Each structure stands twice: as structure tokens, then as C-alpha cells.
């Protein structure tokens, strides 16, 4: 049996686009960075997540367009406030474009049931979380119908979403 590619390998092999759609209001509340942020500690995201920052920076420096869209309930959860606070220092500085969409503005969009990454419009990494937002497993598929659904959903969200710098937390 062949070992599935690591996240770093997926980014390294990516040629043109990597898009990520997030649709939960909380992820991994057990994350030490989230716990530290809640306790009022100042975080340097690029230092705290140096591996992630390096992976994305390397991809964007090769010309890979990396975009992330977040569909969130408003007013936002404490976890989404945390994500918002670290986005500039992590995602934006690494070269990602990030947009936010209030869930109330997503009603007319057909969304997949899970968060995902879509690499080069054909390879989908599906993230499965439990009810508390803890990561359970990932699923990798090249099913053309799944890729088409994910690409369509992402682009529909992206078109309606607000760029990070203009998004106001409510």
C-alpha cells in the first residue's frame, strides 16, 4: 500500500492553485496556541507555526496562488476571533489571500459537508473533525465530481466574501 502524501508534499507538488474552504466556528480548542491566546499571551504566528509559514511561503514564491475562504457565524465565536488575530502574521505574511463570509450571506451557495483543500483544481484533501472541532482524519480524493463541487463552492464563497483587511468582527 502506498503512503498518502504529507501536507508538505501536497504543497510542494502543487503547480498553480491551492484553495482552502473553512466552514466551522471552532477548531481544535485544545490547541496550545489557542489556549495561550485566550490567556492573553502575545503570539508571533510566523514563529509559532514556522513550518506552515515556510510551506506556504515556498509555494507562493513559486507562483502558486494560495487562497483561503472562511464561512463564519456572526457575531463570531471566540475561536474565530483567535483565527482573525493570527491571520495577518501567519496567512497573509506567507502570501495567502484570505476572505471572510458571514454564514448568513452563504445561504444560496451549495457547500460540501466538510472543510477541504483543493490543489490544482483536481486533488481534494477533505478534513474531518469531531463535534468539538478536533481533527479526526483526512481523506484524499481525485474524484472529478468532488473536485468540481469543491471548486464551485469555493469560487462562489470567494466572490461573496470580504477581504481580510476589510472584514469587521461583529
Amino acid at each position: 500500500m502506498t503512503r498518502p502524501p504529507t501536507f508538505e508534499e501536497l504543497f510542494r507538488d502543487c503547480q498553480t492553485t491551492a484553495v482552502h474552504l473553512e466552514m466551522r466556528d471552532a477548531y481544535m480548542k485544545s490547541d496550545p496556541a489557542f489556549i495561550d491566546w485566550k490567556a492573553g499571551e502575545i503570539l508571533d504566528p510566523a514563529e509559532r507555526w514556522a513550518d506552515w509559514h515556510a510551506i506556504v511561503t515556498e509555494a507562493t514564491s513559486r507562483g502558486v496562488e494560495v487562497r483561503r475562504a472562511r464561512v463564519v457565524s456572526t457575531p463570531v465565536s471566540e475561536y474565530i476571533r483567535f483565527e482573525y488575530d493570527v491571520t495577518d502574521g501567519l496567512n497573509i505574511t506567507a502570501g495567502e489571500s484570505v476572505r471572510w463570509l458571514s454564514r448568513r450571506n452563504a445561504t444560496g451557495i451549495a457547500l460540501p459537508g466538510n472543510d477541504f483543500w483543493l490543489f490544482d483544481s483536481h486533488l481534494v484533501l477533505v478534513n474531518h473533525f469531531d463535534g468539538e472541532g478536533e481533527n479526526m482524519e483526512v481523506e484524499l480524493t481525485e474524484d472529478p465530481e468532488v473536485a468540481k463541487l469543491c471548486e464551485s463552492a469555493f469560487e462562489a464563497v470567494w466572490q461573496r466574501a470580504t477581504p481580510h483587511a476589510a472584514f469587521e468582527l461583529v
Side-chain angles (χ1 to χ4, degrees):
M1 182 175 206
T2 306
R3 170 188 71 74
T6 65
F7 199 68
E8 183 175 359
E9 290 168 336
L10 290 170
F11 258 93
R12 185 194 63 223
D13 295 343
C14 187
Q15 299 297 307
T16 58
T17 60
V19 300
H20 185 37
L21 183 60
E22 297 178 1
M23 299 178 287
R24 297 182 59 89
D25 287 320
Y27 296 89
M28 301 172 286
K29 292 190 250 182
S30 64
D31 179 351
F34 176 60
I35 293 167
D36 290 348
W37 175 86
K38 280 178 45 175
E41 291 188 31
I42 305 292
L43 301 178
D44 177 350
E47 180 181 307
R48 187 80 176 234
W49 294 282
D51 290 344
W52 166 254
H53 194 270
I55 290 168
V56 175
T57 300
E58 190 280 328
T60 58
S61 70
R62 286 188 289 108
V64 174
E65 180 184 33
V66 181
R67 296 184 292 157
R68 177 184 305 260
R70 293 177 170 141
V71 178
V72 297
S73 298
T74 52
V76 298
S77 69
E78 182 177 40
Y79 191 89
I80 295 302
R81 285 186 182 285
F82 160 69
E83 278 194 336
Y84 185 86
D85 282 354
V86 300
T87 294
D88 272 325
L90 180 63
N91 309 91
I92 304 296
T93 62
E96 277 188 73
S97 295
V98 179
R99 292 189 182 181
W100 301 79
L101 181 64
S102 171
R103 192 171 312 284
R104 68 184 63 225
N105 295 325
T107 302
I109 301 173
L111 297 170
N114 297 294
D115 292 11
F116 62 85
W117 277 95
L118 176 62
F119 296 95
D120 293 332
S121 300
H122 71 89
L123 181 60
V124 182
L125 176 77
V126 180
N127 296 302
H128 294 284
F129 298 95
D130 69 15
E132 296 298 320
E134 298 295 325
N135 191 21
M136 291 178 38
E137 63 184 74
V138 295
E139 171 188 352
L140 200 57
T141 181
E142 291 188 80
D143 181 318
E145 292 302 313
V146 172
K148 183 178 175 182
L149 169 66
C150 290
E151 186 167 40
S152 174
F154 181 87
E155 293 303 333
V157 168
W158 191 257
Q159 292 306 311
R160 291 187 188 183
T162 302
H164 175 71
F167 185 74
E168 295 182 27
L169 296 180
V170 178

